[in-house]
Amino acid sequence: MAATSWLSGRGGALVLMYHSVADEEDARWIDPLNHVPAEIFERQMEFLAEHRRVVRMEQLVQEIRDGKSVEDGTVVITFDDGYRDNLTVAAPILERLGMTATLFLPTGYIDRGETQWIDQAYTAFKHATNRLLAWGENERRFDLDDPREYRDAYRLVCQALLMAGSEERRALMDRLLGSLAPAVAPPRLTLTWDEVRTLVDSGAMELGGHTVEHTDLTTISVAAAIHEIGRCRERIRDMIGSEPRHFSFCYGRSSEELRQALPGLGIDAACAARAGERVVTGSSDSLYLPRIAAPPDLRRFEVAVSTANRGLWRRLGR
Ligand SMILES: [Zn+2]
């Protein structure tokens, strides 16, 4: 628990997770759970530059490998999924402040320039012209004009999309779009490979893998999961020229079998959720690094990035 790490004075590093940092215009198309507003992101980065020790993922991994204690207040910045605003909004800010983040890419989405499934669903619900949805095993009917039914239906649909393999997910999405008949579709929100190259060349971001199809790897066989990780790395190598050594598990879901397979796949650091863990210390497992989602406001962000500090309030920077 975060609270107990503060009380016991356990210091170390935090790995922060971002998705989209879009401006207001693009944020209309993005599930708020995946979004930190552009101006808040800028203030968060300024806070980190002034009050924290921001390092690259590689450096944190090296410090763990050396078996030293990881300095209090160390922060690694990461992005998942490949939103275009990572280039247009985040990169200039990171460049200005001299910081480098890690961007974890689901390569199939970049190949196709496809909007993340969650944002396709979010937009379809928001702009549905058909306000009745029949969904689930029992074809339960939801009235989308009722806020509670809207929320329940969206949750149910997202859960099904999350658990689905890529082909099943495509079929579900087709069905959803067919049923809701949204009046509009999102603009391009996903990076192209040319834009990924520009990002890497800017020095603001280095790359890691995030599967090909943004799949929960614990829902498919270990062999299929290993294949996904390998194909993702190869695609990044083919398009960018170097194979990433870092990986983030989609939805934080990994397993002991997958963890053990990673070194053989050339991966020396991986982010995955582990109940109750937030802080990375010198004794952490670099193939099972916990992350925290960056809160979408400044105050909660300052508290969140202080959970890896001994003496929380003294170090809040005020
Ligand atoms: Zn993701």
Side-chain angles (χ1 to χ4, degrees):
M1 295 285 291
T4 52
S5 11
W6 304 346
L7 292 172
S8 62
R10 182 176 170 225
L14 284 176
V15 182
L16 278 177
M17 175 178 66
Y18 289 92
H19 290 85
S20 164
V21 290
D23 56 20
E24 252 178 75
E25 176 77 13
D26 279 346
R28 295 176 299 150
W29 310 99
I30 296 164
D31 184 312
L33 279 178
N34 278 355
H35 176 249
V36 171
E39 62 281 5
I40 299 285
F41 174 76
E42 181 160 29
R43 292 177 64 194
Q44 292 181 347
M45 292 305 104
E46 285 168 351
F47 177 88
L48 293 183
E50 197 174 338
H51 300 293
R52 295 293 179 268
R53 171 182 177 250
V54 178
V55 302
R56 294 172 183 236
M57 178 67 85
E58 196 179 354
Q59 187 172 339
L60 177 63
V61 174
Q62 190 58 49
E63 287 174 10
I64 294 172
R65 192 175 292 147
D66 292 345
K68 292 184 202 148
S69 63
V70 175
E71 203 178 301
D72 274 15
T74 298
V75 173
V76 173
I77 304 160
T78 69
F79 289 81
D80 280 10
D81 299 355
Y83 283 92
R84 201 168 149 259
D85 55 64
N86 294 182
L87 172 68
T88 56
V89 175
I93 296 167
L94 293 169
E95 266 189 278
R96 175 168 68 79
L97 297 170
M99 305 194 291
T100 300
T102 300
L103 168 61
F104 295 108
L105 290 178
T107 54
Y109 279 80
I110 310 300
D111 285 340
R112 297 187 296 270
E114 185 178 342
T115 301
Q116 272 305 319
W117 61 260
I118 195 163
D119 301 324
Q120 293 182 48
Y122 178 74
T123 299
F125 268 79
K126 209 169 152 186
H127 297 280
T129 58
N130 180 3
R131 309 297 297 175
L132 275 180
L133 175 68
W135 194 267
E137 275 174 28
N138 308 321
E139 292 284 300
R140 187 178 150 198
R141 291 171 77 79
F142 296 89
D143 173 4
L144 300 189
D145 287 324
D146 178 319
R148 197 167 152 178
E149 290 196 28
Y150 183 107
R151 204 177 51 233
D152 289 349
Y154 183 61
R155 194 179 299 147
L156 194 68
V157 165
C158 285
Q159 201 175 13
L161 289 166
L162 189 154
M163 300 293 288
S166 57
E167 277 176 30
E168 190 193 349
R169 183 184 292 152
R170 210 155 288 141
L172 286 172
M173 187 59 77
D174 285 347
R175 215 189 110 201
L176 181 72
L177 297 176
S179 302
L180 297 181
V184 284
R188 181 167 69 83
L189 299 172
T190 302
L191 291 161
T192 63
W193 283 114
D194 276 344
E195 289 170 337
V196 172
R197 260 177 233 115
T198 305
L199 251 181
V200 172
D201 290 346
S202 76
M205 295 202 195
E206 51 195 15
L207 299 181
H210 194 48
T211 75
V212 177
E213 294 296 344
H214 208 210
T215 304
D216 175 350
L217 295 182
T218 64
T219 63
I220 57 179
S221 70
V222 172
I226 287 173
H227 189 61
E228 271 267 333
I229 299 170
R231 276 173 56 221
C232 168
R233 285 195 77 220
E234 283 164 22
R235 188 63 182 153
I236 293 175
R237 179 198 62 204
D238 291 348
M239 297 310 285
I240 303 299
S242 61
E243 263 178 301
R245 303 193 62 79
H246 305 149
F247 187 81
S248 80
F249 283 94
C250 302
Y251 326 110
R253 298 186 193 200
S254 179
S255 67
E256 187 49 34
E257 283 163 305
L258 290 175
R259 184 213 162 277
Q260 284 180 17
L262 291 172
L265 292 163
I267 304 286
D268 54 24
C271 298
R274 207 169 234 188
E277 280 190 29
R278 290 162 65 92
V279 177
V280 177
T281 67
S283 57
S284 290
D285 180 350
S286 57
L287 296 173
Y288 230 123
L289 294 172
R291 287 193 291 178
I292 61 166
D297 63 68
L298 196 60
R299 183 67 197 149
R300 277 191 295 154
F301 176 83
E302 290 181 13
V303 173
V305 296
S306 300
T307 57
N309 294 156
R310 295 183 179 90
L312 168 66
W313 303 106
R314 192 165 40 84
R315 289 170 180 267
L316 265 176
R318 11 182 95 198

